Every structure is written in structure tokens, then in C-alpha cells.
Amino acid sequence: MKLMQLLTEIEKPCAFVPTMGALHAGHQSLIAQARELCDEVVVSVFVNPLQFEDKEDLAKYPRTPEKDAELAAAAGATILWTPSFEDIYPVQITKLSAGELGDQFEGVHRPGHFDGVLTVVHRLFELVRPKYAIFGEKDFQQLFLITNMAAQLHPEIEIIAAPTVRETSGLAMSSRNVRLDKDARIAADVISKVLRAATESDSVAQARKELAELSVNRDFRLDYAEIIDETTFEVANNETQQARAIVAGWINGVRLIDNMAMKRALVQV
Ligand code: PAF
């Protein structure tokens, strides 16, 4: 695997996995999926300050460069790119806007976050010029916004959605999980359990009832839980064809998000 600080030239069509480092098995599954698509797989590691509305969160974000290099190579990355702030933002930053959806769900709790995500992903796409770019379904709102941004600004890039990788407990893999102590890890199981129950429901009302469990859980401080239409990100109704339960909240000072697709067709009740 080539290690690059400044990306100059990629000779072959590549599949791209943008990350903020602190790689884990979830990232490795994205990289393995990328490798199935292309022989050249570029993984970037860049902790983008623009998407952190909370400076403390940015400072606390885990950084594990040696382990990242090992895990990326083991999963099939051919280029590990670790740009500096100046590599990404050499001149004045032109910020993209995530529009109205950027202020909903995650956006209510992380103002400006998605503007920062879209701005960096757009810059990364300009620099890497991949054929494919792979993003995890775990950050479903991010995936939705990036897919729309790419359709407008980078129609030549195919955005691939990769399924969420879970620990045996059901907890969605995340770089933030390293900040959960033993008790918090056990408490966090409630998220996937409630999501599973909600997604077995056959009406939005029933699914919401299941999600409400999270608002009374003593260990979990809920930011939001909702059933949305995956194709529009609007709140779902029983006519919605592709619905998904989305959840975010806090366990012991660590913010966790997760989502699952509804398992059955919704029925009018
Ligand atoms: O999901 C992430 O790790 C980040 O939001 C991304 C897409 C790499 C942009 O910084």
C-alpha cells in the first residue's frame, strides 16, 4: 500500500473510501467492498474540522494513525492518503450548504455539521476523482445528502451504500465506541434492540411506540427517533414504500446514532 501525504496522480480508475480515521471493522468492510469494484482503492484519513460544531468533540475524536495503516492495508486499500488541512483547503473555503435537510434530525443537534461534510466530500471528490465512492448506511442522513450532492456536482461518480457492520451485541460499529466503558456498552444494546422491534412493526404508529422506549430509558438521552421515507427523508406514513427507523442519542457522554430499514411493508390501520 502506498502512503501519500499529497495526492498527485492516480493512474487507474479507483474506488474511494473517505474516512476520518480511527478505522474499525466497519471501515474495513467498506474497503473490502471497494476492492471488489476496482484494483485501486484510495482510503483518505482526514479529520475535517468543518464538520465539528463542538470543538471539544473535535479534540476528543480518536486518532490512531498506525492502526489505521494496518487495518486499511489488511482490508485491501492500495493508497492511504492522509492530507493536511492545507491540502484540502488551500485557498479560501467555499462552503456547500446541505439545505433544509441539513437542519433536521442530526442537523438539529449538530448545526452546520452537514455543510461541513458536503464541503469536504466535494473537495475530496475533486482531488481523488474516483469512479466509485463508498459510504456506510450507518450515517444514513449523511449518505442521503452526499448521494444528492454527488448527483448534482459529480454525476460521473457512483455512490455505493454499504450495510452497517454490528458487534455481536448488535451495537453499530463506530469510531466513537472506543469511548464507551463496559457499562455504557451494555446500556448501548438498547439502541439496536429497540430499532429491531420498531422495524418489525407494520405501521408507523406501532414503530413509533417501540421507539418511544428510548425516551424513557434511564441510560439513554434521546436526541431523536423517527420513521422516515428513505427516498425523501421526510417523516414516513403508512403509504411509504421504503421506510427506515433512525435514532440518535447519548450514553454516558458519548453520542451514538443508528438506523434500520423497516422489515415489512407498512399497512394502513
Ligand atoms: O463519515 C465520515 O467519516 C465523515 O463524515 C466523512 C464522510 C469522511 C467526511 O469527513
Side-chain angles (χ1 to χ4, degrees):
M1 182 180 59
K2 287 189 221 160
L3 283 173
M4 291 191 181
Q5 165 81 63
L6 189 62
L7 197 66
T8 43
E9 203 174 288
I10 301 169
E11 281 132 33
K12 297 181 260 174
C14 74
F16 180 39
V17 182
T19 82
M20 297 204 298
L23 301 189
H24 50 67
H27 295 108
Q28 285 192 300
S29 82
L30 306 186
I31 299 169
Q33 203 168 323
R35 194 58 193 263
E36 278 171 25
L37 296 165
C38 281
D39 288 341
E40 193 83 282
V41 173
V42 178
V43 174
S44 63
V45 173
F46 178 65
V47 183
N48 173 37
L50 262 57
Q51 68 188 75
F52 287 84
E53 63 296 345
D54 173 357
K55 294 295 155 235
E56 208 184 307
D57 192 27
L58 172 62
K60 278 204 252 168
Y61 200 82
R63 287 160 173 87
T64 55
E66 286 88 19
K67 196 170 161 215
D68 289 349
E70 268 170 40
L71 293 184
T78 51
I79 296 176
L80 181 65
W81 180 41
T82 57
S84 67
F85 184 85
E86 290 71 29
D87 295 334
I88 301 292
Y89 305 118
V91 283
Q92 216 190 330
I93 300 166
T94 313
K95 268 200 175 184
L96 295 193
S97 163
E100 265 179 43
L101 180 56
D103 297 327
Q104 292 166 37
F105 304 113
E106 279 301 282
V108 171
H109 303 275
R110 308 191 63 186
H113 168 69
F114 287 120
D115 296 347
V117 170
L118 293 188
T119 301
V120 77
V121 172
H122 168 57
R123 277 297 291 149
L124 291 166
F125 283 178
E126 282 184 333
L127 294 162
V128 178
R129 288 171 282 110
K131 185 161 187 227
Y132 304 100
I134 295 95
F135 294 88
E137 283 185 348
K138 184 183 153 277
D139 297 296
F140 203 77
Q141 195 175 354
Q142 165 173 285
L143 171 66
F144 183 89
L145 286 165
I146 290 174
T147 305
N148 286 349
M149 179 277 285
Q152 282 173 34
L153 302 181
H154 302 275
E156 70 290 356
I157 303 176
E158 191 176 331
I159 306 296
I160 312 280
T164 302
V165 178
R166 298 181 181 277
E167 299 189 2
T168 38
S169 65
L171 178 66
M173 290 208 180
S174 160
S175 304
R176 290 171 195 270
N177 292 358
V178 294
R179 287 166 48 200
L180 294 170
D181 63 21
K182 206 165 146 244
D183 290 344
R185 243 166 211 282
I186 294 168
D189 290 355
V190 69
I191 303 171
S192 60
K193 280 206 188 101
V194 165
L195 274 175
R196 206 159 287 131
T199 55
E200 293 289 345
S201 311
D202 55 13
S203 72
V204 170
Q206 180 57 36
R208 283 221 184 97
K209 228 182 248 170
E210 300 289 353
L211 292 179
E213 171 80 14
L214 289 171
S215 53
V216 292
N217 185 289
R218 280 192 316 172
D219 299 313
F220 188 73
R221 180 158 66 77
L222 183 68
D223 274 353
Y224 62 82
E226 190 48 278
I227 311 297
I228 54 111
D229 180 331
E230 303 189 342
T231 62
T232 59
F233 234 96
E234 277 164 19
V235 172
N237 57 48
N238 290 333
E239 256 107 77
T240 303
Q241 300 289 313
Q242 281 171 258
R244 187 169 284 258
I246 57 168
V247 160
W250 298 80
I251 289 193
N252 201 15
V254 183
R255 190 162 189 279
L256 299 171
I257 70 171
D258 200 355
N259 64 81
M260 283 184 201
M262 296 299 285
K263 307 265 184 308
R264 312 190 206 166
L266 296 166
V267 291
Q268 204 86 44
V269 282

